[in-house]
Amino acid sequence: MEITTQRASRPALTENGFRQCLRVAGGGALGFMVSQLMGWNYGVFFTVFPMFLLGMVPILNGTIIRQFLANVSLNVLEVSLVVGLLKHMPVVMTLVVLGIFLFRFNLMAKGTLFLFGANGVLTLSILLHFASYPNVDLSDLLASNLAASGLAVFIAMLMHTLFPDVEVRKPPLRPTKSLAQIRHETLMGGATATLSFVVFQVFDLQGSLSAQMATILVLFALGYSGAKVSATKRAIGTLLGCNLALLMQLLLYTQSHHFLLVIVLYWLGLMLFAREHVHEGAGSGVGFGGLTTLGILFGQSLDPQQDLVYSALYRFSSMSVALMLTLLVMACLHELLNLWEPTRY
């Protein structure tokens, strides 16, 4: 009886919410389809960027597009300088990365240019993750990032044209924060993101992109208490995404060469998680965790001679360990920053 009451109390999906589901699922599937048909490298850019742009913000306007494209241009410059000029000086490179992350998290903590800061942190982490390996062509990496970002903007415009909102959305309320709280969130986010960067530089974790993305996405909650909730939801979303990817692999079996069948199953999976994401009304929750998991698994691991079983199991296990360590670091930083009045939360 209690379960029935809880299910009944869940609000129905509004018309605006349903159209956002169609935008997120359609955009993610279209990005994946284009990258696969064109044979472009770094398929994860083409699958995740449209999801981020359509899922993190439910509207699209000139300000959002300018923030997104400005971040892409700045990321190219930052990665070129950090990797191209400072790779032989790891200490200096780490300090520069810390400064970049602190700048982005300060924008997020203040609430101004939140999309610019969040997209910058996530994209820069992915780019540095790939660029840290000697066999990676930096020019190809940055060119793929630019192409995927431009395509994501085009896809977002197309999806908003095909599935526009039927009602005007109210702007979200921006919470009032003290200077101490802003400093606390800035330092915690910047330090944790930098530590994640260092760990993935020191250890050979080239196949752990999901784990690194998880350590960054939980920081979007801008605080330890919010990160604990976000980490739990992220873990559940990743587990569900991995299980759904494995189910799709079983359904496809030897039929993975039928691209249309792959697209249909992929779109259905995205639609399922997009619906959960819209219901949650949160940034990085269960739904968004499932979306990005499917995007990474299909963007990186879909190949006629390769199945998703090992990739799915490895990504969930590595992500779980990464989230636990991230929360441990955040708990320590939270206590340390609260010892000092100017950074007390």
Side-chain angles (χ1 to χ4, degrees):
M1 190 69 179
E2 183 179 352
I3 296 176
T4 305
T5 305
Q6 289 177 352
R7 287 180 177 175
S9 64
R10 181 163 181 158
L13 195 66
T14 64
E15 185 65 25
N16 271 6
F18 177 67
R19 287 172 179 252
Q20 186 182 1
C21 291
L22 292 173
R23 292 196 294 266
V24 174
L30 185 57
F32 168 74
M33 183 171 61
V34 171
S35 67
Q36 291 293 314
L37 291 176
M38 298 298 293
W40 288 335
N41 295 328
Y42 305 104
V44 64
F45 291 154
F46 298 91
T47 57
V48 172
F49 284 3
M51 296 177 192
F52 183 89
L53 189 55
L54 292 164
M56 295 299 285
V57 285
I59 62 173
L60 187 70
N61 53 39
T63 301
I64 292 173
I65 293 175
R66 284 192 294 270
Q67 286 189 44
F68 192 81
L69 294 180
N71 170 72
V72 173
S73 304
L74 185 57
N75 279 155
V76 170
L77 178 62
E78 290 167 338
V79 174
S80 300
L81 293 175
V82 170
V83 178
L85 299 180
L86 304 176
K87 195 171 184 178
H88 63 289
M89 297 184 289
V91 176
V92 177
M93 181 173 66
T94 302
L95 292 175
V96 171
V97 170
L98 174 62
I100 294 173
F101 280 144
L102 287 175
F103 168 67
R104 289 313 203 314
F105 275 102
N106 185 252
L107 294 178
M108 294 167 64
K110 290 179 178 178
T112 57
L113 303 177
F114 183 91
L115 180 66
F116 177 86
N119 188 32
V121 170
L122 181 63
T123 306
L124 188 62
S125 299
I126 296 174
L127 290 175
L128 291 174
H129 175 87
F130 283 124
S132 62
Y133 295 94
N135 61 335
V136 171
D137 185 345
L138 186 59
S139 299
D140 182 40
L141 173 65
L142 297 180
S144 298
N145 176 53
L146 286 171
S149 300
L151 181 64
V153 171
F154 172 77
I155 288 175
M157 295 172 65
L158 178 62
M159 291 298 109
H160 276 275
T161 302
L162 294 176
F163 310 110
D165 284 337
V166 295
E167 298 176 358
V168 178
R169 293 179 182 264
K170 296 180 180 179
L173 296 176
R174 188 172 296 173
T176 303
K177 298 180 181 179
S178 64
L179 287 176
Q181 185 177 349
I182 292 175
R183 295 189 194 103
H184 185 103
E185 293 174 350
T186 300
L187 291 171
M188 176 175 288
T192 307
T194 304
L195 183 60
S196 173
F197 162 75
V198 171
V199 169
F200 283 88
Q201 287 286 304
V202 173
F203 297 98
D204 185 15
L205 300 173
Q206 192 167 4
S208 301
L209 182 60
S210 291
Q212 186 174 20
M213 281 186 61
T215 63
I216 299 301
L217 287 170
V218 296
L219 299 178
F220 288 3
L222 296 177
Y224 175 60
S225 58
K228 288 191 295 183
V229 177
S230 178
T232 302
K233 291 182 177 181
R234 179 77 194 176
I236 295 172
T238 302
L239 177 61
L240 293 175
C242 289
N243 287 334
L244 185 58
L246 292 175
L247 178 60
M248 290 179 181
Q249 180 70 21
L250 291 174
L251 292 175
L252 290 170
Y253 197 51
T254 58
Q255 305 301 316
S256 60
H257 59 283
H258 290 297
F259 191 62
L260 182 60
L261 181 58
V262 174
I263 288 293
V264 171
L265 286 177
Y266 183 59
W267 181 86
L268 289 173
L270 293 182
M271 192 66 182
L272 180 65
F273 285 119
R275 185 179 186 277
E276 181 63 27
H277 173 67
V278 172
H279 264 305
E280 290 176 305
S284 180
V286 174
F288 198 73
L291 284 169
T292 53
T293 298
L294 280 184
I296 293 172
L297 286 171
F298 275 73
Q300 283 191 306
S301 306
L302 188 69
D303 189 277
Q305 284 77 42
Q306 179 182 4
D307 62 49
L308 298 175
V309 176
Y310 172 77
S311 297
L313 296 177
Y314 175 73
R315 274 166 173 74
F316 178 72
S317 59
S318 62
M319 181 276 306
S320 300
V321 174
L323 283 179
M324 287 189 292
L325 293 177
T326 300
L327 288 178
L328 179 61
V329 169
M330 293 184 72
C332 295
L333 287 174
H334 180 73
E335 295 299 325
L336 288 174
L337 292 173
N338 278 342
L339 295 176
W340 192 32
E341 185 68 29
T343 58
R344 187 165 297 160
Y345 192 81

